Amino acid sequence: MKTNAIKFAILSVAAALMVGCGGGGGDDDDNTKNDTSPTVTYSNYSIKVVDDAVLGAKISAIGCEGYREKGSGEYELLSCTQKPTVIVASGGTIDMNGDGQIDSGDVPMALPFTLDVTQSNAEDRFVVSPLTTLAAEAKEDELETLATKLGISKSELFADLSQYENKKEILQLINAQFTAASENGVIDMPAFLGKLKEYLLNSTGNDAKGSIASAIEALKNDTDAPKIFGGIGFNGFISEAESLKDTDLADYYERKKSDPAKTVFIGYVYDEILADANVSIFIDNTLVASSKSDSSGKFTLEVDADKIGDDKIIKIEAILNDYKGDNVKLVSFLTSTQIKNLAKSRVSVSDLIDIVVSNVTTAEYVVAKKLNGGNDFTDADTLEKKLLEAQIEKAEKVKETAALIKYIVDTNATQSSSADTLAYAESKLDTNLTLDLNATEQQNIETFKTEIENDPILRKQLEVTGESTAAVTTLKTLYDQGVKEFYMVYTEKEYDANGNEFYSRNYTKITFSLDSIEFTDYILENNSWKLRNQYSSNLSGSFDNTGTFYITDPTTDLEKIWLISSSKVFNSSLNRNFNIYLMAHALYKGHDNEFYLSIFDGHYEYAGTLNQNIENWSDFINIYESNYFNDIGVLNSDGSTTSNYWSKWEYFTINGKDFIRFYSDYDRDTRIYALDYTNKKFYKKYEFDEKFLDTPMYVIASSDYELVEAFRLANDADFQIFKNYYEIHIENENNIAYAYTIQSFLERLLEGFETSSSSSSTTNPPTSTLDDTILSNMWKPNALTSPNGGESWSNGENREVIWSTADIVGDTVNCYVLHDDPSSILDAMSNNDAVSLTNAITSANWQKFATDASNSGVIGIDPSVMGGTGNAYLVLTVSNNGYWDISDGTFSLNFSSVNFADYLVGKTYYIAVTDVPNKHVETIYFRTDGILQVTWEDNGQAMEELFSYTIDGNILRLTNTNDPNETYTMEFSLVDGKLLAKDLGDGSVDPLYKTYAEAEAAL
C-alpha cells in the first residue's frame, strides 16, 4: 500500500546502484567475499521529543533496532550499532495540559519531527522538535543565520525550549505551520520544509513571529509553491498560516485539540476540484461517518477509533450527482492496518496520499477487483495484495482506467449506459484487463493520461512507495537470515579503440554489513568478469528499526534503500529456486558542504588538467566561455551550453573553493567539477539532483550469483531484448512498471538458465526433505572427516569437504549443509542411536551444495555455496549407493568468535510457549541491569517474572529473583541469523524470534 514515508534512490551513469560513488575496494573474484565485519557494540541513547512533551510517538533512528517510551516526552533508543545520524519522531500527541496522559486536552502531531544528529553537539541525549526539523533542512553554514532570524542562538535550535515560557512559543509557532500544511494537503513535505527554511533565511524579521510572517508572504508569492500542495490545498494553507499572525497560539491549539477516542480523516475529493460532494466512510461495508467536500474539495470525517479495529477494509466514497451531466462516484480503499501503523488520531494527505479520493484511487480499485476475479473484497489481506498487484504489475492499466474516468468527469461526455462513473469503469474493463473503448474514448485517453502524469497529486498516487509487500520481510530480516549480497546486471554504452559504439555487459555486487554497504562493479571482457575500479565503493551506513538501510557517508549521496517485494523463480533444469528482489531507493537528505569539499580529498570520479594560465574563476570563465570544457562543450554566459546533454550550468563557491554544476534534461544526476587552481586540475563527481529528493527509484536484484552467469551466457537476441528494456527502465527509473518489465525478463532468464559448472558453483535453497534416501543401516560413522566440528569457514576461502571412500562407497556423492537446529541430530549421535539419527536428519532442513560429484574423497568449495551465517552447521555426505556420514560436531560459517552478550543485552525477543494448555507468546527483555524481564498474558491478565542473568560465552545462567532455587542454564547457537536457546536441563530448544508476529505464527 502507498504511504508518504521518506523514500530512497540509486544507480549510476553506469546504471549500477548508487551513481557516482567514489572510492576503492572490491576484488576480481566472482565468489562472495569474506564477511569481515567487526564485532558490533550496541548502545542506547536518550531522546526527548517536544513542542510541549510529545507522548506516544513512534521513534525511528538509523542504526537502532528499537525504542521504548519512558514518559513525559522521554524515549530511549535501544541497541544502536552506531551513534544515530538521523532521528525521526512521528504519530505522537502533544501533551498540552501537562498531565502525562493522552486525552481530549491534547493536540496530535501533524508532520514528523526530525533531528539531524550531525548538526547537534550532543553525545548521548538528543532533543527532537519542530526547531530541529527546520534545522535539518539547512546546511551547516546556514544554521547561525536561521537561529538569528528566529531570535535564538544556534545551540538553542537543538535545545529543549519547552522548559522556558518566553521561548516555548517559538516551538509552537513553527509547529503551527507544520499543522496548517499537513491539514491542507501538503504532498511534498521535504519541499515544503525546504521552502520555509529558504524564506526564513531571507526574511526581513528579527524574531520568530516576524520572520515566519515574512516567510509565509514569500511562499504566497512563489509560483512553484502550490505544487507542494498538489495545487488544491495551497490557498487553505496560506489562509490558515496568515491568520496565525493575529491569532493567539493558545486559541489556535485549542481548535486543534482532538479526542483520542476518535480518528479524524482530512482529505480531498479530486479529479479536478470537486466541491459539494457527499463523502462517506465505510468499515467492512458499514457506514460510520459522512460529510461534504468544501469549495476546495476538502472533507473531514470523524470516526470512533475503536470501530477501525484489526484487519478491516476501509472505503472512502465520494458521490457528486449531475456533474457536467454525469453521476460521479469515486472511491479509495484502505486497510485498518495502514491507519493503525500511522499511530495518529488525525490522518491527512501528508500521511497517506490515498486520503485524496480520485480517479486514480478509483482505477486502482477497479483493476484490483478484476484481478480478484471481479469479486468484491471480503478481507483486508486480499485487498492489500490485489491493490499492490494492480499498482506494481498493472500500473499502465491503472493509468489508462484513471484517464477514462477523468475524461468522463472533466468533459461533457456521459456514461449513460451506467449508473455512475465507478460502475462505468467497471463495465469497460473485462477480467482480462482489456478496456472496451469506443472511438471517441480511444482518441481522448492519451490526452487524459498526459494530464494525470502532469498532475502532482495524481502522479504521486500512481507511485508505489510503500514498505515491503511481506509483513516481516525487509532488507534487515534478509540480512539476519544470512542474505547479505545482491547482484544487479546492467548494460552500458561503450566505445572501442576505433571509436565504434557497442554495449557492454556489467554487474554490480552489493554487500551489506551492519555499518556499511559496498558496491563493486564488473564488466565482461573476453567472456570473463573484470573489476571496474572506478565504480567500486565502500560507504558507511546502517539499518534503522524498520529494516531500511541508510547510507550515512557525508562524502556521497545520502540515500536509503528498502525492499518492496520478492519472488522466487523455479528452474526445472537445475531443480532449484532463485530469488528476485524489487528494491527502491531515494535521496533522503540533501548534500552538505562536506560532499563538495571532499572532492579535494580524493572523493571524485575523474581528474583532468586545467589550462595552465588559469589562476582564478575570472581566468577560467574568460577561457571557457569561448572554448570547449572537458566533454561538456562551450559555456555560454546565459547559463546554457552547446552540449545536447548537459544543457545548463551554474557556478558556486564553498569555503573559497570554486565549483561548477551541470544539469541534464535526460539524467537524474548533475555533474560537479571542482576547480583546483593551485595544481591546475579539475575533478569530476556525480551528484544526485536534489529536485529528486524523496523520489523513489526502482531496481531489480538477486541474491543468487547465477543471475550473473545467466547474463554472461545469454545469447545475442536475449541481450538485445534486455538492452531495449533496460534503456527504457533507466529513462523511467521512478516508474515501477518499467522495473517490473526488467524483473519479468530476468525471471525468464533464470528459468531457462543451464550451467555446466561443477557442484561447487551451484547453490540450492533449503528444503524440508533430502533428495537422497537415508537408511540407518547405511550410516558410516567417522567416514566424514572435514568439516567435523569446531571449524570456522568464511565466504571466499578455499575449503575442502573430506570423507573416506572406503566407507562411503559409490561412484558419486551428494553433499548437504544443515540449515536447522542441530540438537536432535547431535543428541542421537551422542547416544549412537542410528534410527533416531536417521529420523532427525530426514525431518530437518538441508541445503544441497554438491550434486553427483565424483566420489574422490574430497571436494574443494567456496563456503559461500553453503549460504549461511552462524555457528551450528553440519555437513551430510551421501553416495549414490546410499552410504552416508555426518559431521560429528558443528562448525561455523561466516561467524567469528563472538560473545553472545552482544546478541542479548539490551535486546527484546519473543518465545512461542507450546508445551502448556494455554499456548501463548512470552516477551523476554534482557535489561542492561542484569535482569531478564519475562512478560505474557494469561486469560487477559498481564503476567511477569524476573530473573537475574549472567552470560559466559554462549552460556546463559538464570536465577528467579523471587526464588533463588529456580535456576536455568541455557546454551545459545546461531543458525542463519536466528538465535536458538537450548535448556541444558531438559534438552528443549526454543527459537528466539525478533517479532511478536513470528512467535505467534509458531504457536
Side-chain angles (χ1 to χ4, degrees):
M1 309 294 280
K2 293 178 288 184
T3 67
N4 289 357
I6 300 175
K7 310 174 191 88
F8 155 104
I10 59 195
L11 276 157
S12 98
V13 172
L17 183 72
M18 295 300 172
V19 299
C21 300
D27 57 53
D28 57 4
D29 191 318
D30 289 342
N31 295 318
T32 306
K33 292 176 62 178
N34 293 345
D35 184 351
T36 56
S37 301
T39 301
V40 176
T41 300
Y42 294 95
S43 303
N44 295 349
Y45 294 89
S46 296
I47 310 296
K48 188 163 188 185
V49 185
V50 294
D51 174 309
D52 273 318
V54 174
L55 309 178
K58 294 171 63 175
I59 310 296
S60 178
I62 302 171
C64 301
E65 292 193 359
Y67 70 94
R68 68 185 180 97
E69 184 172 4
K70 299 165 68 175
S72 300
E74 300 278 355
Y75 299 81
E76 186 175 24
L77 287 170
L78 304 174
S79 304
C80 301
T81 58
Q82 62 178 31
K83 181 180 176 180
T85 55
V86 177
I87 302 171
V88 179
S90 60
T93 299
I94 302 167
D95 188 17
M96 300 297 295
N97 56 19
D99 64 358
Q101 304 291 324
I102 298 176
D103 51 37
S104 58
D106 299 328
V107 175
M109 277 177 61
L111 300 184
F113 295 168
T114 302
L115 169 67
D116 180 347
V117 178
T118 62
Q119 297 177 330
S120 168
N121 291 324
E123 289 299 322
D124 56 9
R125 180 175 173 80
F126 309 109
V127 172
V128 184
S129 73
L131 275 172
T132 66
T133 306
L134 200 56
E137 296 299 314
K139 297 185 184 300
E140 181 63 34
D141 55 7
E142 295 175 329
L143 293 175
E144 193 75 55
T145 302
L146 180 63
T148 300
K149 294 292 184 181
L150 295 172
I152 57 177
S153 66
K154 177 181 174 182
S155 63
E156 286 178 313
L157 288 171
F158 309 101
D160 178 10
L161 299 190
S162 69
Q163 303 299 308
Y164 308 99
E165 285 300 323
N166 61 331
K167 292 184 177 180
K168 181 168 69 173
E169 184 179 75
I170 299 173
L171 291 176
Q172 295 181 336
L173 189 58
I174 294 171
N175 194 39
Q177 314 307 313
F178 296 174
T179 300
S182 174
E183 297 196 355
N184 284 281
V186 63
I187 64 170
D188 191 340
M189 181 178 69
F192 167 72
L193 293 172
K195 290 277 189 185
L196 184 60
K197 179 268 300 184
E198 175 187 346
Y199 289 129
L200 281 171
L201 289 174
N202 294 297
S203 69
T204 56
N206 55 12
D207 62 11
K209 199 158 190 176
S211 294
I212 288 174
S214 173
I216 296 302
E217 185 65 25
L219 264 174
K220 180 180 178 179
N221 297 316
D222 185 335
T223 56
D224 288 330
K227 297 176 184 176
I228 300 171
F229 291 78
I232 58 175
F234 180 67
N235 290 337
F237 162 71
I238 291 296
S239 176
E240 188 168 329
E242 285 184 329
S243 72
L244 287 165
K245 291 186 295 186
D246 306 312
T247 301
D248 184 272
L249 274 177
D251 292 339
Y252 180 80
Y253 273 92
E254 185 67 31
R255 296 197 302 273
K256 299 299 179 180
K257 288 180 178 179
S258 181
D259 184 348
K262 303 286 186 181
T263 298
V264 180
F265 295 82
I266 306 168
Y268 290 82
V269 184
Y270 186 67
D271 175 281
E272 51 192 5
I273 291 175
L274 296 176
D276 208 34
N278 293 305
V279 186
S280 303
I281 186 166
F282 299 81
I283 298 180
D284 280 355
N285 288 320
T286 299
L287 177 66
V288 293
S290 297
S291 70
K292 277 185 174 291
S293 60
D294 66 14
S295 59
S296 66
K298 185 177 179 181
F299 65 82
T300 301
L301 294 164
E302 186 174 86
V303 177
D304 289 339
D306 59 3
K307 289 183 179 179
I308 292 175
D310 296 320
D311 301 319
K312 301 288 187 180
I313 293 175
I314 298 175
K315 178 178 73 171
I316 304 178
E317 177 183 272
I319 295 175
L320 182 59
N321 290 327
D322 197 22
Y323 181 77
K324 296 183 181 180
D326 293 305
N327 293 330
V328 177
K329 184 176 182 179
L330 302 175
V331 294
S332 182
F333 277 77
L334 312 167
T335 68
S336 58
T337 300
Q338 282 179 282
I339 304 305
K340 287 196 166 187
N341 284 345
L342 292 172
K344 296 186 69 173
S345 59
R346 294 176 74 86
V347 179
S348 65
V349 178
S350 64
D351 306 307
L352 202 60
I353 189 66
D354 286 347
I355 297 294
V356 177
V357 186
S358 72
N359 50 58
V360 171
T361 59
T362 306
E364 287 174 340
Y365 164 71
V366 170
V367 175
K369 183 176 177 180
K370 297 299 181 181
L371 292 170
N372 198 41
N375 300 313
D376 291 327
F377 294 101
T378 57
D379 67 277
D381 185 56
T382 302
L383 170 67
E384 184 171 5
K385 288 177 180 177
K386 293 303 178 183
L387 280 174
L388 273 168
E389 187 178 347
Q391 294 159 2
I392 295 175
E393 299 183 33
K394 309 300 179 184
E396 190 62 25
K397 191 59 63 179
V398 167
K399 190 190 300 182
E400 290 177 358
T401 307
L404 174 62
I405 296 170
K406 187 167 179 60
Y407 162 62
I408 295 295
V409 174
D410 290 7
T411 69
N412 290 323
T414 62
Q415 79 299 341
S416 56
S417 61
S418 301
D420 53 55
T421 51
L422 173 60
Y424 186 68
E426 289 192 69
S427 71
K428 284 292 200 175
L429 188 68
D430 65 23
T431 53
N432 295 320
L433 299 187
T434 300
L435 274 171
D436 178 20
L437 302 176
N438 61 41
T440 304
E441 290 168 339
Q442 191 69 57
Q443 291 171 0
N444 281 279
I445 197 168
E446 291 301 321
T447 298
F448 285 91
K449 278 172 61 178
T450 301
E451 288 196 15
I452 288 172
E453 291 164 355
N454 293 331
D455 187 292
I457 288 181
L458 302 178
R459 182 176 65 246
K460 193 174 186 69
Q461 288 191 316
L462 287 171
E463 297 173 1
V464 179
T465 60
E467 297 84 23
S468 166
T469 58
V472 296
T473 302
T474 65
L475 284 178
K476 182 56 163 61
T477 55
L478 289 176
Y479 177 91
D480 290 338
Q481 294 163 8
V483 182
K484 303 179 182 181
E485 287 143 352
F486 299 88
Y487 303 91
M488 293 182 359
V489 296
Y490 65 96
T491 183
E492 185 176 2
K493 185 188 294 185
E494 311 275 359
Y495 296 91
D496 63 19
N498 298 319
N500 298 315
E501 179 184 297
F502 70 97
Y503 283 83
S504 59
R505 304 188 193 200
N506 307 264
Y507 81 88
T508 301
K509 183 171 78 172
I510 309 162
T511 306
F512 289 94
S513 73
L514 289 176
D515 57 7
S516 68
I517 184 171
E518 182 178 24
F519 300 94
T520 311
D521 272 31
Y522 297 86
I523 184 171
L524 189 66
E525 294 180 351
N526 299 320
N527 207 34
S528 297
W529 293 111
K530 303 296 182 183
L531 180 68
R532 298 183 70 132
N533 289 311
Q534 69 267 39
Y535 293 124
S536 298
S537 55
N538 194 307
L539 307 171
S540 62
S542 187
F543 294 98
D544 75 352
N545 48 305
T546 70
T548 297
F549 191 90
Y550 285 77
I551 294 174
T552 56
D553 189 327
T555 67
T556 191
D557 295 315
L558 296 177
E559 303 183 82
K560 75 173 185 176
I561 311 168
W562 73 98
L563 184 66
I564 293 289
S565 64
S566 61
S567 64
K568 289 187 180 295
V569 180
F570 181 70
N571 183 300
S572 58
S573 175
L574 299 178
N575 191 32
R576 61 158 294 189
N577 285 319
F578 296 108
N579 296 294
I580 294 284
Y581 301 99
L582 173 60
M583 299 180 187
H585 64 97
L587 194 68
Y588 70 87
K589 187 176 183 294
H591 305 86
D592 215 332
N593 290 349
E594 188 173 351
F595 174 84
Y596 305 101
L597 296 174
S598 67
I599 298 175
F600 291 93
D601 296 325
H603 294 276
Y604 56 81
E605 324 299 329
Y606 170 79
T609 302
L610 280 175
N611 184 297
Q612 297 301 299
N613 295 319
I614 294 178
E615 299 289 342
N616 52 46
W617 173 249
S618 295
D619 293 340
F620 178 91
I621 202 63
N622 285 336
I623 290 176
Y624 289 112
E625 272 194 347
S626 57
N627 292 293
Y628 271 71
F629 173 64
N630 193 232
D631 58 351
I632 297 292
V634 176
L635 311 186
N636 298 321
S637 59
D638 64 356
S640 65
T641 78
T642 58
S643 167
N644 291 326
Y645 194 85
W646 300 101
S647 57
K648 295 182 294 185
W649 69 275
E650 65 182 11
Y651 161 74
F652 62 101
T653 181
I654 299 174
N655 292 357
K657 303 288 187 181
D658 286 345
F659 300 86
I660 314 173
R661 177 184 288 112
F662 291 92
Y663 294 94
S664 170
D665 295 330
Y666 309 100
D667 205 316
R668 64 164 178 74
D669 293 310
T670 68
R671 190 187 279 186
I672 301 295
Y673 286 89
L675 305 179
D676 184 351
Y677 305 124
T678 302
N679 297 304
K680 308 302 180 186
K681 294 282 188 181
F682 65 81
Y683 310 108
K684 181 176 74 177
K685 182 175 184 175
Y686 288 100
E687 170 194 48
F688 203 123
D689 193 335
E690 290 185 9
K691 75 178 182 182
F692 293 107
L693 186 72
D694 198 33
T695 301
M697 307 288 174
Y698 302 98
V699 292
I700 307 297
S702 176
S703 55
D704 298 289
Y705 179 75
E706 281 81 357
L707 173 63
V708 172
E709 285 301 283
F711 189 55
R712 178 178 70 85
L713 297 172
N715 59 41
D716 290 342
D718 276 345
F719 178 67
Q720 183 63 37
I721 293 171
F722 173 80
K723 182 183 83 69
N724 294 339
Y725 285 161
Y726 192 75
E727 287 179 330
I728 297 172
H729 165 60
I730 290 305
E731 291 172 1
N732 300 274
E733 288 178 69
N734 62 342
N735 188 323
I736 199 167
Y738 295 105
Y740 195 78
T741 300
I742 293 291
Q743 178 173 332
S744 298
F745 176 85
L746 296 181
E747 287 175 350
R748 181 173 67 79
L749 198 65
L750 283 170
E751 284 173 359
F753 174 55
E754 295 184 10
T755 179
S756 57
S757 305
S758 69
S759 59
S760 64
S761 67
T762 59
T763 57
N764 294 309
T767 57
S768 58
T769 58
L770 297 168
D771 292 345
D772 295 272
T773 301
I774 305 296
L775 301 176
S776 59
N777 62 350
M778 306 292 272
W779 179 29
K780 294 296 179 180
N782 303 317
L784 181 68
T785 58
S786 174
N788 209 31
E791 297 90 347
S792 181
W793 291 3
S794 297
N795 293 349
E797 298 175 345
N798 295 317
R799 293 293 185 175
E800 293 181 336
V801 178
I802 303 172
W803 66 92
S804 167
T805 57
D807 294 312
I808 307 294
V809 178
D811 297 324
T812 60
V813 296
N814 290 336
C815 294
Y816 303 84
V817 62
L818 180 70
H819 280 261
D820 212 333
D821 173 24
S823 300
S824 59
I825 295 175
L826 295 174
D827 289 345
M829 275 199 291
S830 66
N831 295 327
N832 201 31
D833 185 343
V835 174
S836 295
L837 176 60
T838 303
N839 292 335
I841 289 172
T842 55
S843 62
N845 291 321
W846 295 89
Q847 177 173 324
K848 185 191 287 187
F849 63 88
T851 304
D852 297 334
S854 174
N855 189 12
S856 62
V858 62
I859 291 177
I861 66 165
D862 177 340
S864 65
V865 302
M866 293 179 166
T869 299
N871 67 338
Y873 293 94
L874 299 169
V875 161
L876 171 68
T877 300
V878 187
S879 77
N880 64 316
N881 288 348
Y883 296 100
W884 60 274
D885 190 24
I886 192 168
S887 306
D888 290 344
T890 58
F891 67 100
S892 298
L893 285 174
N894 303 305
F895 188 86
S896 57
S897 178
V898 172
N899 187 340
F900 273 82
D902 295 335
Y903 288 84
L904 299 176
V905 178
K907 302 295 183 63
T908 299
Y909 293 98
Y910 304 90
I911 291 178
V913 180
T914 59
D915 57 351
V916 295
N918 180 24
K919 296 179 180 180
H920 61 277
V921 173
E922 292 185 355
T923 302
I924 59 172
Y925 172 40
F926 290 90
R927 289 171 17 186
T928 56
D929 59 359
I931 296 297
L932 174 66
Q933 182 178 359
V934 183
T935 56
W936 70 98
E937 190 174 281
D938 186 9
N939 294 321
Q941 183 176 355
M943 309 294 290
E944 179 184 78
E945 280 193 317
L946 301 178
F947 297 83
S948 62
Y949 71 86
T950 59
I951 302 171
D952 182 12
N954 68 332
I955 300 297
L956 172 74
R957 293 181 173 83
L958 302 172
T959 302
N960 193 313
T961 56
N962 291 325
D963 182 3
N965 293 319
E966 184 183 352
T967 62
Y968 302 92
T969 302
M970 317 295 290
E971 181 182 52
F972 281 92
S973 58
L974 188 71
V975 177
D976 296 346
K978 179 177 289 186
L979 279 172
L980 301 174
K982 180 177 182 179
D983 188 329
L984 296 183
D986 62 16
S988 61
V989 177
D990 285 308
L992 271 61
Y993 297 101
K994 293 190 174 182
T995 68
Y996 188 95
E998 287 180 289
E1000 191 173 39
L1003 291 177

